[in-house]
Amino acid sequence: MIRITKLLAAAALATGLAGCAANEPVIRGLPPVQVTASGETQPVGTGRADAADDPAIWIDPANPNRALIVATDKKAGLHVYDLAGKDIAFVQAGLVNNVDVAGDIIVASDRNDGANAHLAVFRLDADRPEIVPLGRAAAGTGEAYGLCLKKTAPGQPITAALIVKDGTVRVGTLTVDGAAPDFSKEWEYKIPTQSEGCVFDGDTLYVGEEDVGVWKLERNGAGATAVLIAPVDHQRLVADVEGLATIDYKGQRYLLVSSQGDNAYAVFRLPGMDYVGRFAVAAGAFGATSETDGIEAVAGNFGAAYPDGLFLAQDGDNAPKAQNFKLVRWDQIAAALGL
């Protein structure tokens, strides 16, 4: 009986410690500066699950001060939110993971077939608003996971990078003007282990290997030259390395990386990857962010709420509600980091 009591007590203690571990990082990196969110989206439709994943920002080409948020519920489909966080459109798409936009084209990594990767393609009708499915483009074997698009001028071909869950990176041209979308691979590279987050900076592709760090990939024929430029060091980055984003500010370009393991975001100055600092989104008028997957950042004047740009972060713990995305003024982050 005493032995059983001790076992029960040990189990209760372990449960309590596990509960603490779920809320508090086991490893903490360098102390981040603190900022607070200025807004948040309505929760995704899938409750009690790891469902919200990745955001992207659409900017109106006719009015650069107008923007919308496109984001994934990776258990159900795609949401569109306005900058007040209101859910204004949704389309059922099943298991879609990462998302990006090019003009009015929305592309998401499609995991509905775990053995064969696809890109799910949509058109955004921002005036209605509505997300119009255009079809799926086959993108080779493996489970589609990460996805990012190269920023190109309107009317130019869309370059897409698909990250397969095992770390295979496939980059090619996505054509959407035919009867169905088509993806034509141009080069491929294998990162050793599970990878997801990615972002283009011109022709350079940055990819996050979750347990290892950030890779810089540059095309070399049918493959790539790869350099690990920001390792998981438990100071700047604490695994998992998740979402990546870039932003231009005062003539400089910065790479932002989600340091998911300690609920922070690392900032590097490009192209030299000079370490700038780290920030965290603390509780204020809106909740803190934690366990962030996807992030996005964009410069611009989006009205009084976001006069100098916007940072978006998936919030992995928005209890008691379902997961959502937090919006932060970029000028607040820049001031905190001394940019």
Side-chain angles (χ1 to χ4, degrees):
M1 186 68 177
I2 294 174
R3 183 171 181 271
I4 293 174
T5 302
K6 287 182 177 179
L7 288 173
L8 290 173
L13 177 60
T15 301
L17 290 174
C20 291
N23 296 318
E24 295 294 333
V26 176
I27 300 172
R28 292 184 182 276
L30 296 171
V33 297
Q34 304 289 309
V35 298
T36 57
S38 296
E40 65 180 352
T41 67
Q42 291 179 290
V44 297
T46 303
R48 298 183 179 181
D50 179 20
D53 195 80
D54 191 45
I57 298 174
W58 172 84
I59 298 176
D60 188 343
N63 177 10
N65 302 122
R66 179 189 178 210
L68 296 173
I69 299 164
V70 181
T72 56
D73 177 337
K74 62 186 176 185
K75 309 290 187 184
L78 289 165
H79 292 268
V80 176
Y81 302 96
D82 62 23
L83 294 191
K86 182 180 179 182
D87 191 349
I88 58 175
F90 175 76
V91 65
Q92 291 278 354
L95 307 180
V96 286
N97 208 55
N98 282 188
V99 66
D100 207 348
V101 296
D104 62 352
I105 299 299
I106 300 170
V107 185
S109 52
D110 187 325
R111 304 172 65 186
N112 286 290
D113 179 349
N116 296 286
H118 290 82
L119 302 180
V121 185
F122 310 83
R123 189 178 302 278
L124 174 64
D125 184 336
D127 294 326
R128 297 191 64 170
E130 183 181 11
I131 307 170
V132 181
L134 299 180
R136 301 163 75 221
T141 59
E143 182 179 353
Y145 210 49
L147 179 282
C148 55
L149 305 178
K150 181 180 176 181
K151 304 306 180 187
T152 54
Q156 294 296 309
I158 297 173
T159 297
L162 173 71
I163 316 299
V164 180
K165 194 171 184 178
D166 69 358
T168 300
V169 178
R170 295 192 186 113
V171 178
T173 299
L174 178 66
T175 304
V176 296
D177 55 2
D182 178 75
F183 176 75
S184 177
K185 185 183 73 174
E186 297 175 0
W187 60 270
E188 181 173 301
Y189 183 83
K190 178 66 171 70
I191 291 173
T193 64
Q194 183 168 312
S195 305
E196 182 178 5
C198 68
V199 67
F200 278 100
D201 178 27
D203 292 329
T204 299
L205 178 65
Y206 296 98
V207 179
E209 185 178 8
E210 295 187 357
D211 290 336
V212 177
V214 179
W215 290 85
K216 177 182 179 181
L217 274 63
E218 295 180 314
R219 182 178 181 177
N220 184 0
T225 300
V227 180
L228 182 66
I229 53 171
V232 168
D233 57 4
H234 298 157
Q235 296 183 64
R236 299 174 301 176
L237 294 175
V238 178
D240 289 356
V241 169
E242 289 287 343
L244 307 181
T246 60
I247 188 169
D248 294 318
Y249 184 69
K250 293 185 177 179
Q252 300 284 338
R253 177 163 292 181
Y254 298 93
L255 175 68
L256 285 60
V257 184
S258 171
S259 175
Q260 188 186 66
D262 68 340
N263 305 330
Y265 311 93
V267 181
F268 302 87
R269 185 180 294 107
L270 295 174
M273 282 298 290
D274 304 307
Y275 174 67
V276 172
R278 288 161 33 100
F279 68 93
V281 181
F286 301 91
T289 61
S290 61
E291 302 173 3
T292 293
D293 286 319
I295 61 174
E296 183 60 290
V298 64
N301 182 352
F302 303 112
Y306 305 100
D308 212 9
L310 170 66
F311 171 75
L312 279 171
Q314 181 260 6
D315 184 7
D317 184 4
N318 189 45
K321 298 178 181 179
Q323 295 176 338
N324 71 348
F325 301 87
K326 299 295 194 289
L327 292 75
V328 185
R329 290 173 59 130
W330 176 253
D331 58 354
Q332 183 189 168
I333 296 170
L337 291 170
L339 301 182

